[in-house]
Coordinates of all heavy atoms in Angstrom, one line a residue:
M1 N 178.2 74.5 138.7 CA 177.9 75.5 139.8 C 177.0 76.5 139.2 O 177.1 77.0 138.1 CB 179.2 76.1 140.2 CG 179.0 77.2 141.3 SD 180.6 77.7 141.9 CE 180.3 77.3 143.6
A2 N 175.9 76.9 140.0 CA 175.0 77.9 139.6 C 175.5 79.3 139.6 O 176.3 79.7 140.3 CB 173.8 77.8 140.5
S3 N 175.1 80.1 138.6 CA 175.4 81.5 138.5 C 174.4 82.3 139.2 O 173.2 82.1 139.1 CB 175.5 81.8 137.0 OG 175.6 83.2 136.8
H4 N 174.8 83.3 139.9 CA 173.9 84.1 140.7 C 174.0 85.5 140.3 O 175.1 86.1 140.0 CB 174.1 84.0 142.2 CG 173.9 82.7 142.7 ND1 172.7 82.2 143.0 CD2 174.8 81.7 143.1 CE1 172.8 80.9 143.5 NE2 174.1 80.6 143.5
A5 N 172.9 86.1 140.1 CA 172.9 87.6 139.7 C 173.3 88.4 140.9 O 173.1 88.0 142.0 CB 171.5 88.0 139.3
P6 N 173.9 89.6 140.8 CA 174.2 90.4 141.9 C 172.9 90.8 142.7 O 171.9 91.0 142.2 CB 174.8 91.6 141.4 CG 174.7 91.6 139.9 CD 174.2 90.2 139.5
H7 N 173.0 90.9 144.0 CA 171.9 91.2 144.9 C 171.6 92.7 144.6 O 172.5 93.5 144.5 CB 172.4 91.1 146.3 CG 171.2 91.2 147.2 ND1 170.7 92.4 147.7 CD2 170.5 90.3 147.8 CE1 169.8 92.2 148.5 NE2 169.5 90.9 148.6
P8 N 170.3 93.0 144.4 CA 170.0 94.5 144.1 C 170.6 95.5 145.1 O 170.9 96.6 144.7 CB 168.5 94.4 144.2 CG 168.0 93.0 144.1 CD 169.2 92.2 144.6
E9 N 170.7 95.2 146.3 CA 171.3 96.1 147.3 C 172.8 96.4 147.0 O 173.3 97.4 147.4 CB 171.0 95.7 148.7 CG 169.6 95.7 149.1 CD 169.3 95.2 150.5 OE1 170.2 95.0 151.2 OE2 168.1 95.0 150.8
T10 N 173.5 95.5 146.3 CA 174.9 95.8 146.0 C 175.1 96.3 144.7 O 176.2 96.7 144.3 CB 175.6 94.4 146.1 OG1 175.1 93.5 145.1 CG2 175.6 93.8 147.4
A11 N 174.0 96.5 143.9 CA 174.1 97.1 142.6 C 174.3 98.7 142.8 O 174.0 99.2 143.8 CB 172.9 96.9 141.7
Q12 N 174.7 99.3 141.7 CA 174.9 100.8 141.8 C 173.5 101.4 142.1 O 172.5 101.0 141.5 CB 175.5 101.3 140.5 CG 176.9 100.9 140.2 CD 177.4 101.4 139.0 OE1 176.7 102.2 138.3 NE2 178.6 101.0 138.5
P13 N 173.5 102.4 142.9 CA 172.3 103.0 143.3 C 171.4 103.5 142.1 O 170.2 103.3 142.1 CB 172.6 104.2 144.2 CG 173.9 103.9 144.7 CD 174.6 103.0 143.7
S14 N 172.0 104.0 141.1 CA 171.2 104.5 139.9 C 170.7 103.4 139.0 O 169.8 103.6 138.2 CB 172.1 105.4 139.1 OG 173.2 104.7 138.6
S15 N 171.1 102.1 139.3 CA 170.6 101.1 138.4 C 169.4 100.3 139.1 O 168.9 99.4 138.4 CB 171.7 100.1 138.1 OG 172.2 99.4 139.3
A16 N 169.1 100.6 140.3 CA 168.0 100.0 141.0 C 167.0 100.9 141.5 O 167.3 102.0 142.0 CB 168.6 99.1 142.2
H17 N 165.8 100.6 141.3 CA 164.7 101.4 141.7 C 163.7 100.7 142.5 O 163.2 99.5 142.1 CB 164.0 102.1 140.5 CG 164.9 103.0 139.7 ND1 165.0 104.3 139.9 CD2 165.7 102.6 138.7 CE1 165.9 104.8 139.1 NE2 166.4 103.8 138.4
L18 N 163.2 101.2 143.7 CA 162.3 100.5 144.5 C 161.0 101.3 144.4 O 160.9 102.5 144.6 CB 162.8 100.6 146.0 CG 161.9 99.9 147.0 CD1 161.7 98.4 146.7 CD2 162.5 100.0 148.4
F19 N 159.9 100.4 144.1 CA 158.5 101.0 144.0 C 157.7 100.2 145.0 O 157.9 99.0 145.3 CB 158.0 100.7 142.7 CG 158.6 101.6 141.6 CD1 159.8 101.2 140.9 CD2 158.1 102.8 141.2 CE1 160.3 102.0 140.0 CE2 158.6 103.6 140.2 CZ 159.7 103.2 139.5
T20 N 156.6 100.8 145.4 CA 155.4 100.1 146.0 C 154.3 100.2 145.0 O 154.1 101.3 144.4 CB 155.0 100.6 147.5 OG1 154.7 102.0 147.4 CG2 156.2 100.5 148.4
L21 N 153.5 99.2 145.0 CA 152.3 99.2 144.1 C 151.1 98.8 144.9 O 151.1 97.8 145.6 CB 152.5 98.2 142.9 CG 151.3 97.9 142.1 CD1 151.0 99.2 141.3 CD2 151.7 96.7 141.1
R22 N 150.1 99.6 144.9 CA 148.8 99.3 145.6 C 147.7 99.3 144.5 O 147.7 100.1 143.6 CB 148.5 100.4 146.6 CG 147.1 100.1 147.3 CD 146.9 101.2 148.3 NE 145.7 100.9 148.9 CZ 144.6 101.8 148.8 NH1 144.6 102.9 148.1 NH2 143.4 101.4 149.4
V23 N 147.0 98.2 144.5 CA 145.9 98.0 143.5 C 144.6 97.7 144.2 O 144.6 97.0 145.3 CB 146.2 97.0 142.5 CG1 147.4 97.4 141.5 CG2 146.5 95.6 143.1
W24 N 143.5 98.2 143.7 CA 142.2 97.9 144.3 C 141.1 98.1 143.2 O 141.4 98.6 142.1 CB 141.9 98.8 145.5 CG 141.8 100.3 145.0 CD1 140.6 101.0 144.7 CD2 142.8 101.3 144.9 NE1 141.0 102.3 144.3 CE2 142.3 102.5 144.4 CE3 144.3 101.2 145.1 CZ2 143.0 103.6 144.2 CZ3 145.0 102.3 144.8 CH2 144.5 103.5 144.4
Q25 N 139.9 97.6 143.4 CA 138.8 97.7 142.6 C 137.9 98.8 143.1 O 137.5 98.8 144.3 CB 138.1 96.4 142.3 CG 138.9 95.5 141.4 CD 138.2 94.2 141.2 OE1 137.6 93.5 142.1 NE2 137.9 94.0 139.9
E26 N 137.3 99.6 142.2 CA 136.3 100.5 142.5 C 135.1 100.3 141.6 O 135.2 100.0 140.4 CB 136.8 102.0 142.3 CG 137.7 102.4 143.4 CD 138.0 103.9 143.3 OE1 137.2 104.7 142.6 OE2 139.0 104.3 144.0
R27 N 133.9 100.5 142.2 CA 132.7 100.3 141.4 C 132.5 101.6 140.6 O 132.6 102.7 141.0 CB 131.5 100.1 142.4 CG 130.3 99.8 141.7 CD 129.2 99.3 142.6 NE 129.6 98.1 143.3 CZ 129.6 96.9 142.8 NH1 129.4 96.7 141.6 NH2 130.1 95.8 143.6
V28 N 132.3 101.3 139.3 CA 132.0 102.4 138.4 C 130.6 102.2 137.9 O 130.3 101.1 137.2 CB 133.0 102.4 137.2 CG1 132.6 103.5 136.2 CG2 134.4 102.5 137.7
G29 N 129.7 103.0 138.2 CA 128.3 102.8 137.8 C 127.7 101.7 138.8 O 128.2 101.4 139.8
E30 N 126.6 101.1 138.4 CA 126.0 100.1 139.3 C 126.5 98.7 139.1 O 126.5 97.9 140.0 CB 124.5 100.1 139.1 CG 123.8 101.4 139.5 CD 122.4 101.4 139.4 OE1 121.7 100.3 139.4 OE2 121.7 102.5 139.3
S31 N 127.1 98.4 138.0 CA 127.4 96.9 137.7 C 128.8 96.7 137.3 O 129.2 95.6 137.0 CB 126.4 96.4 136.7 OG 126.6 97.0 135.5
R32 N 129.7 97.7 137.2 CA 131.0 97.5 136.6 C 132.1 97.9 137.7 O 131.9 98.8 138.4 CB 131.2 98.4 135.4 CG 132.5 98.3 134.7 CD 132.5 99.0 133.3 NE 133.8 99.2 132.9 CZ 134.5 100.4 133.0 NH1 133.8 101.4 133.4 NH2 135.8 100.4 132.7
L33 N 133.1 97.0 137.8 CA 134.2 97.3 138.6 C 135.4 97.6 137.8 O 135.6 97.1 136.7 CB 134.6 96.0 139.5 CG 133.6 95.7 140.6 CD1 133.9 94.3 141.2 CD2 133.5 96.7 141.6
E34 N 136.2 98.6 138.3 CA 137.4 99.0 137.5 C 138.6 98.9 138.5 O 138.6 99.3 139.6 CB 137.2 100.5 137.1 CG 138.3 101.0 136.3 CD 138.1 102.5 135.8 OE1 138.3 103.4 136.6 OE2 137.6 102.7 134.7
W35 N 139.7 98.3 137.9 CA 140.9 98.4 138.6 C 141.5 99.7 138.7 O 141.7 100.4 137.7 CB 142.0 97.3 138.0 CG 141.7 96.0 138.3 CD1 141.0 95.1 137.5 CD2 141.9 95.3 139.5 NE1 140.8 93.9 138.2 CE2 141.4 94.0 139.4 CE3 142.5 95.7 140.7 CZ2 141.4 93.0 140.4 CZ3 142.6 94.7 141.8 CH2 142.1 93.4 141.6
R36 N 142.1 100.1 139.9 CA 142.8 101.4 140.0 C 144.1 101.0 140.7 O 144.2 99.9 141.3 CB 142.0 102.3 141.1 CG 140.6 102.5 140.6 CD 140.6 103.7 139.5 NE 139.2 103.9 139.0 CZ 138.5 104.9 139.4 NH1 138.9 105.8 140.3 NH2 137.3 105.1 138.9
G37 N 145.1 101.9 140.7 CA 146.3 101.6 141.3 C 147.1 102.9 141.7 O 146.9 104.0 141.2
K38 N 148.0 102.7 142.5 CA 149.0 103.8 143.0 C 150.4 103.2 143.0 O 150.7 102.2 143.6 CB 148.6 104.2 144.5 CG 149.6 105.1 145.0 CD 149.3 105.3 146.5 CE 150.3 106.2 147.2 NZ 149.9 106.3 148.6
L39 N 151.3 103.9 142.2 CA 152.7 103.5 142.1 C 153.5 104.5 142.8 O 153.4 105.8 142.4 CB 153.0 103.3 140.6 CG 154.4 102.8 140.3 CD1 154.5 101.2 140.8 CD2 154.7 102.7 138.9
H40 N 154.3 104.1 143.7 CA 155.1 105.1 144.5 C 156.6 104.7 144.3 O 157.0 103.6 144.7 CB 154.7 104.9 146.0 CG 155.5 105.7 146.9 ND1 155.6 105.3 148.2 CD2 156.2 106.9 146.8 CE1 156.4 106.3 148.9 NE2 156.7 107.2 148.0
H41 N 157.3 105.7 143.8 CA 158.8 105.5 143.6 C 159.4 106.0 145.0 O 159.3 107.1 145.4 CB 159.3 106.4 142.5 CG 160.8 106.2 142.2 ND1 161.7 107.1 142.7 CD2 161.5 105.2 141.6 CE1 162.9 106.7 142.3 NE2 162.7 105.5 141.6
I42 N 160.0 105.0 145.7 CA 160.5 105.3 147.1 C 161.5 106.4 147.2 O 161.4 107.3 148.0 CB 160.9 104.0 147.8 CG1 159.8 102.9 147.7 CG2 161.4 104.2 149.2 CD1 158.6 103.3 148.5
A43 N 162.5 106.3 146.4 CA 163.7 107.2 146.5 C 163.2 108.7 146.3 O 163.7 109.6 147.0 CB 164.8 106.8 145.5
S44 N 162.4 109.0 145.3 CA 162.0 110.3 145.0 C 160.7 110.7 145.6 O 160.4 111.9 145.6 CB 161.8 110.4 143.4 OG 160.7 109.7 142.9
D45 N 160.0 109.7 146.1 CA 158.7 110.0 146.8 C 157.6 110.4 145.8 O 156.5 110.9 146.1 CB 158.7 111.0 147.9 CG 157.7 110.8 148.9 OD1 157.2 109.6 149.1 OD2 157.2 111.7 149.6
D46 N 157.9 110.2 144.5 CA 156.9 110.4 143.4 C 155.8 109.4 143.5 O 156.0 108.2 143.7 CB 157.5 110.3 142.0 CG 158.4 111.5 141.6 OD1 158.3 112.5 142.3 OD2 159.2 111.4 140.7
V47 N 154.6 109.8 143.3 CA 153.4 109.0 143.3 C 152.6 109.2 142.1 O 152.3 110.4 141.7 CB 152.6 109.2 144.6 CG1 151.2 108.5 144.5 CG2 153.3 108.9 145.9
T48 N 152.1 108.2 141.4 CA 151.2 108.4 140.3 C 150.1 107.3 140.5 O 150.4 106.2 140.8 CB 152.0 108.0 139.0 OG1 153.1 109.0 138.8 CG2 151.0 108.3 137.8
Y49 N 148.9 107.9 140.2 CA 147.7 106.9 140.2 C 147.3 106.6 138.8 O 147.6 107.4 137.9 CB 146.6 107.7 140.9 CG 146.7 108.0 142.4 CD1 147.4 109.0 142.8 CD2 146.3 107.0 143.3 CE1 147.6 109.3 144.1 CE2 146.5 107.2 144.7 CZ 147.1 108.4 145.1 OH 147.4 108.6 146.5
F50 N 146.7 105.4 138.6 CA 146.4 105.0 137.3 C 145.1 104.2 137.3 O 144.7 103.7 138.4 CB 147.5 104.2 136.6 CG 147.9 102.9 137.3 CD1 147.3 101.7 137.0 CD2 148.9 102.9 138.3 CE1 147.5 100.5 137.7 CE2 149.2 101.8 139.0 CZ 148.6 100.6 138.7
R51 N 144.4 104.0 136.2 CA 143.2 103.3 136.0 C 143.5 102.1 135.1 O 144.1 102.4 134.0 CB 142.1 104.1 135.5 CG 141.7 105.2 136.4 CD 140.6 106.1 135.8 NE 139.6 106.4 136.7 CZ 138.5 107.1 136.4 NH1 138.4 107.4 135.1 NH2 137.7 107.3 137.3
E52 N 143.1 101.0 135.4 CA 143.1 99.8 134.5 C 144.6 99.3 134.4 O 145.5 100.1 134.4 CB 142.6 100.1 133.1 CG 141.1 100.4 133.1 CD 140.2 99.3 133.6 OE1 140.6 98.2 133.6 OE2 139.1 99.6 134.0
W53 N 144.7 98.1 134.2 CA 146.1 97.4 134.2 C 146.9 97.9 133.0 O 148.2 98.0 133.2 CB 145.9 95.9 134.1 CG 145.4 95.3 135.3 CD1 144.1 94.8 135.6 CD2 146.1 95.1 136.6 NE1 144.1 94.3 136.8 CE2 145.2 94.5 137.5 CE3 147.4 95.5 137.0 CZ2 145.6 94.2 138.8 CZ3 147.8 95.2 138.3 CH2 146.8 94.6 139.2
A54 N 146.4 98.2 131.9 CA 147.1 98.6 130.7 C 147.9 99.9 131.0 O 148.9 100.2 130.3 CB 146.2 98.8 129.5
A55 N 147.5 100.7 131.9 CA 148.2 102.0 132.2 C 149.4 101.7 133.1 O 150.2 102.6 133.2 CB 147.3 102.9 132.9
L56 N 149.5 100.5 133.7 CA 150.6 100.3 134.7 C 152.0 100.5 134.1 O 152.9 101.2 134.6 CB 150.5 99.0 135.4 CG 151.7 98.6 136.3 CD1 151.9 99.7 137.4 CD2 151.4 97.2 136.9
V57 N 152.3 99.8 133.0 CA 153.7 99.9 132.4 C 154.0 101.2 131.9 O 155.1 101.7 132.1 CB 153.8 98.7 131.3 CG1 155.2 98.9 130.6 CG2 153.8 97.3 132.0
P58 N 153.1 101.8 131.1 CA 153.5 103.3 130.7 C 153.8 104.2 131.9 O 154.7 105.1 131.9 CB 152.3 103.7 129.9 CG 151.7 102.5 129.4 CD 151.9 101.4 130.5
V59 N 153.0 104.1 132.9 CA 153.3 104.9 134.2 C 154.6 104.5 134.8 O 155.4 105.4 135.1 CB 152.1 104.7 135.2 CG1 152.5 105.2 136.6 CG2 150.9 105.3 134.7
L60 N 154.9 103.2 134.9 CA 156.2 102.8 135.4 C 157.3 103.3 134.6 O 158.3 103.9 135.1 CB 156.3 101.3 135.5 CG 157.5 100.6 136.0 CD1 157.9 101.1 137.4 CD2 157.4 99.1 135.8
L61 N 157.3 103.2 133.3 CA 158.4 103.7 132.4 C 158.5 105.2 132.6 O 159.7 105.7 132.6 CB 158.1 103.4 131.0 CG 158.1 101.8 130.6 CD1 157.5 101.6 129.2 CD2 159.4 101.3 130.8
A62 N 157.4 106.0 132.6 CA 157.5 107.4 132.8 C 158.2 107.8 134.2 O 159.0 108.7 134.2 CB 156.1 108.0 132.7
M63 N 157.8 107.0 135.2 CA 158.4 107.3 136.5 C 159.9 107.0 136.5 O 160.8 107.7 137.1 CB 157.7 106.6 137.6 CG 156.3 107.2 137.8 SD 155.4 106.2 139.1 CE 156.1 107.1 140.6
L64 N 160.4 105.9 135.8 CA 161.7 105.5 135.7 C 162.5 106.7 135.0 O 163.6 107.0 135.4 CB 161.9 104.2 135.0 CG 161.6 103.0 135.9 CD1 161.5 101.7 135.0 CD2 162.6 102.8 137.1
R65 N 161.9 107.1 133.8 CA 162.6 108.2 133.1 C 162.7 109.4 134.0 O 163.8 110.1 133.9 CB 161.9 108.5 131.9 CG 162.0 107.5 130.8 CD 161.4 108.0 129.5 NE 161.6 106.9 128.5 CZ 160.6 106.1 128.0 NH1 159.3 106.3 128.5 NH2 160.8 105.2 127.1
H66 N 161.7 109.8 134.7 CA 161.7 110.9 135.6 C 162.8 110.8 136.7 O 163.5 111.8 137.1 CB 160.3 111.1 136.2 CG 160.3 112.4 137.1 ND1 160.4 112.4 138.4 CD2 160.2 113.7 136.7 CE1 160.3 113.6 138.9 NE2 160.2 114.4 137.9
A67 N 163.1 109.6 137.0 CA 164.2 109.3 138.1 C 165.5 109.2 137.5 O 166.5 108.9 138.1 CB 163.8 108.0 138.8
G68 N 165.6 109.4 136.1 CA 167.0 109.4 135.4 C 167.3 108.2 134.7 O 168.4 108.1 134.2
A69 N 166.4 107.1 134.7 CA 166.8 105.9 134.1 C 166.7 106.1 132.6 O 165.8 106.9 132.1 CB 165.8 104.7 134.5
T70 N 167.6 105.5 131.8 CA 167.5 105.6 130.4 C 166.9 104.2 129.9 O 167.4 103.2 130.1 CB 168.9 105.6 129.7 OG1 169.6 106.8 130.3 CG2 168.9 105.7 128.3
I71 N 165.7 104.4 129.1 CA 165.0 103.2 128.6 C 164.9 103.4 127.1 O 164.3 104.4 126.7 CB 163.6 103.1 129.3 CG1 163.8 103.0 130.8 CG2 162.9 101.9 128.7 CD1 162.6 103.0 131.6
S72 N 165.4 102.5 126.3 CA 165.3 102.7 124.9 C 164.0 101.9 124.5 O 163.4 101.0 125.2 CB 166.4 102.0 124.1 OG 166.3 100.6 124.4
V73 N 163.4 102.3 123.3 CA 162.2 101.6 122.8 C 162.4 100.1 122.7 O 161.5 99.3 122.9 CB 161.8 102.3 121.5 CG1 160.6 101.7 120.9 CG2 161.5 103.7 121.8
E74 N 163.6 99.7 122.3 CA 163.8 98.3 122.3 C 163.7 97.5 123.5 O 163.4 96.3 123.5 CB 165.3 98.0 121.7 CG 165.5 98.5 120.3 CD 165.8 100.0 120.2 OE1 166.3 100.6 121.2 OE2 165.4 100.6 119.2
Q75 N 163.7 98.2 124.6 CA 163.6 97.5 126.0 C 162.1 97.4 126.4 O 161.9 96.7 127.3 CB 164.4 98.2 127.0 CG 165.9 98.2 126.8 CD 166.6 99.1 127.8 OE1 166.4 100.4 127.9 NE2 167.5 98.5 128.6
V76 N 161.3 98.1 125.6 CA 159.9 98.1 126.1 C 159.2 96.9 125.5 O 159.4 96.6 124.3 CB 159.2 99.5 125.6 CG1 157.8 99.5 125.9 CG2 159.9 100.7 126.2
P77 N 158.4 96.2 126.2 CA 157.6 95.0 125.7 C 156.8 95.5 124.4 O 156.3 96.6 124.4 CB 156.7 94.6 126.8 CG 157.3 95.1 128.0 CD 158.0 96.5 127.6
D78 N 156.7 94.5 123.5 CA 156.0 94.8 122.3 C 154.5 95.1 122.5 O 153.9 95.9 121.8 CB 156.0 93.5 121.4 CG 157.3 93.2 120.8 OD1 158.2 94.2 120.8 OD2 157.6 92.1 120.4
W79 N 153.9 94.6 123.6 CA 152.5 94.9 123.9 C 152.2 96.3 124.4 O 151.1 96.7 124.5 CB 151.9 93.8 124.8 CG 152.6 93.5 126.0 CD1 153.7 92.6 126.1 CD2 152.5 94.2 127.3 NE1 154.1 92.7 127.4 CE2 153.5 93.6 128.1 CE3 151.7 95.3 127.8 CZ2 153.6 94.1 129.4 CZ3 151.8 95.6 129.0 CH2 152.8 95.0 129.9
V80 N 153.3 97.0 124.8 CA 153.1 98.4 125.3 C 153.0 99.3 124.0 O 153.9 99.3 123.2 CB 154.1 98.8 126.2 CG1 154.0 100.3 126.6 CG2 154.2 97.9 127.4
E81 N 152.0 100.1 123.9 CA 151.9 101.0 122.7 C 153.0 102.0 122.9 O 153.2 102.7 123.8 CB 150.5 101.7 122.7 CG 149.4 100.6 122.5 CD 148.0 101.3 122.3 OE1 148.0 102.4 121.8 OE2 147.0 100.6 122.6
E82 N 153.6 102.2 121.7 CA 154.8 103.2 121.6 C 154.4 104.6 122.0 O 155.2 105.2 122.8 CB 155.3 103.2 120.1 CG 156.5 104.0 120.0 CD 157.3 103.8 118.6 OE1 157.1 102.8 118.1 OE2 157.9 104.8 118.3
E83 N 153.3 105.1 121.6 CA 153.1 106.5 122.0 C 152.8 106.7 123.5 O 153.1 107.7 124.0 CB 151.8 107.1 121.2 CG 150.5 106.3 121.6 CD 150.2 105.2 120.7 OE1 151.1 104.8 119.9 OE2 149.1 104.6 120.8
E84 N 152.5 105.6 124.2 CA 152.4 105.8 125.6 C 153.7 105.8 126.3 O 153.9 106.3 127.3 CB 151.6 104.5 126.2 CG 150.1 104.5 125.8 CD 149.4 103.3 126.2 OE1 150.0 102.3 126.6 OE2 148.2 103.3 126.3
T85 N 154.7 105.1 125.7 CA 156.1 105.1 126.4 C 156.9 106.2 126.0 O 157.9 106.6 126.7 CB 156.8 103.8 126.0 OG1 157.0 103.8 124.6 CG2 156.0 102.6 126.4
L86 N 156.7 106.9 125.0 CA 157.5 108.1 124.5 C 157.1 109.3 124.9 O 157.8 110.4 124.8 CB 157.6 108.0 122.9 CG 158.2 106.7 122.4 CD1 158.2 106.8 120.9 CD2 159.6 106.5 122.9
S87 N 155.9 109.5 125.6 CA 155.4 110.7 126.1 C 156.1 111.1 127.4 O 156.6 110.4 128.1 CB 154.0 110.8 126.1 OG 153.5 109.7 126.9

């Protein structure tokens, strides 16, 4: 028999966070495109804009911390630079 994870809506409210993510490309100069994004934490209505994909995870971690989530450095992927996640 298959094991199923609890449905996110039945989890405790403080353990689940709902975000919307909007991404688009903007022209920088005449020949370069740059990825931009908007991350919106639905419950708190916090919004953060970012540039380039590498900024997404640090922004997400900062918004989770601001919402009260506890995130240890061990939970952060190795490819995320430590100084970006601890600020």
